[in-house]
Amino acid sequence: MLENPAPSPRTSPATLNPSAADTGAPCLARPERSPTGNRSARRRRAARGVPTGSPELDWLRQSLHACDLLTSVHSISPTDRALVAFAIEWAPYGGADAENLFIRFGVQRNRFLHLLHAAMTPRPSDLGHLRNLKTTLCNDLLRAWNDTHHNEK
């Protein structure tokens, strides 16, 4: 049977080698952000056709934030949040095609738009600014999804 010939250290590794703490090496447990930001995320967005810093990207961020806000105050359900977030993500492209809608939600385009409209209809319990937010976002989404050249196949 093999035995460990060295006894376990009674002090911390930093005290055994005091120069190790002064090396200035970054902690691997919490890597520092580079001053250039997250380049890979910008590349992915650019590859999808949405340029960074564009009005479309700003609208996308604001709309997803609004969707999260509506969910957090229980103005839309978590199920409806998935539907609305999907609609927001596909809005810059004129909406998803029939195949993506069927795979994700099991419905055709016209049924999806009906479900989206129902999810975004203001409730009597919604505060005034939430009603306005839902109405504006719903109108923006329906316009983006309907102002397309998509035809059901």
Side-chain angles (χ1 to χ4, degrees):
M1 179 179 259
L2 295 175
E3 292 182 19
N4 186 0
S8 61
R10 296 179 191 265
T11 57
S12 71
T15 57
L16 289 176
N17 187 2
S19 64
D22 299 330
T23 62
C27 174
L28 296 178
R30 287 190 278 159
E32 296 179 20
R33 273 188 82 100
S34 68
T36 58
N38 191 346
R39 288 183 186 168
S40 62
R42 283 197 302 263
R43 280 190 216 120
R44 283 192 304 271
R45 283 192 300 268
R48 284 189 234 146
V50 179
T52 58
S54 71
E56 287 178 347
L57 184 60
D58 292 340
W59 178 87
L60 189 69
R61 285 183 182 148
Q62 290 172 356
S63 298
L64 287 172
H65 178 71
C67 182
D68 290 339
L69 172 70
L70 292 169
T71 304
S72 70
V73 296
H74 305 290
S75 184
I76 60 174
S77 69
T79 304
D80 289 342
R81 189 229 177 266
L83 189 93
V84 174
F86 181 85
I88 292 169
E89 290 167 0
W90 278 95
Y93 309 105
D97 61 4
E99 182 180 358
N100 283 326
L101 287 170
F102 187 76
I103 290 170
R104 183 76 186 267
F105 298 102
V107 296
Q108 293 179 350
R109 187 178 179 93
N110 59 352
R111 177 67 179 150
F112 176 82
L113 293 175
H114 176 75
L115 292 172
L116 177 65
H117 187 265
M120 295 301 289
T121 299
R123 299 175 180 175
S125 61
D126 288 339
L127 298 175
H129 68 280
L130 293 178
R131 288 173 162 270
N132 291 337
L133 179 64
K134 284 173 100 171
T135 302
T136 302
L137 184 56
C138 182
N139 290 339
D140 288 347
L141 289 172
L142 292 175
R143 188 177 318 109
W145 277 66
N146 285 324
D147 288 346
T148 65
H149 303 300
H150 285 272
N151 293 327
E152 294 283 334
K153 293 181 181 178

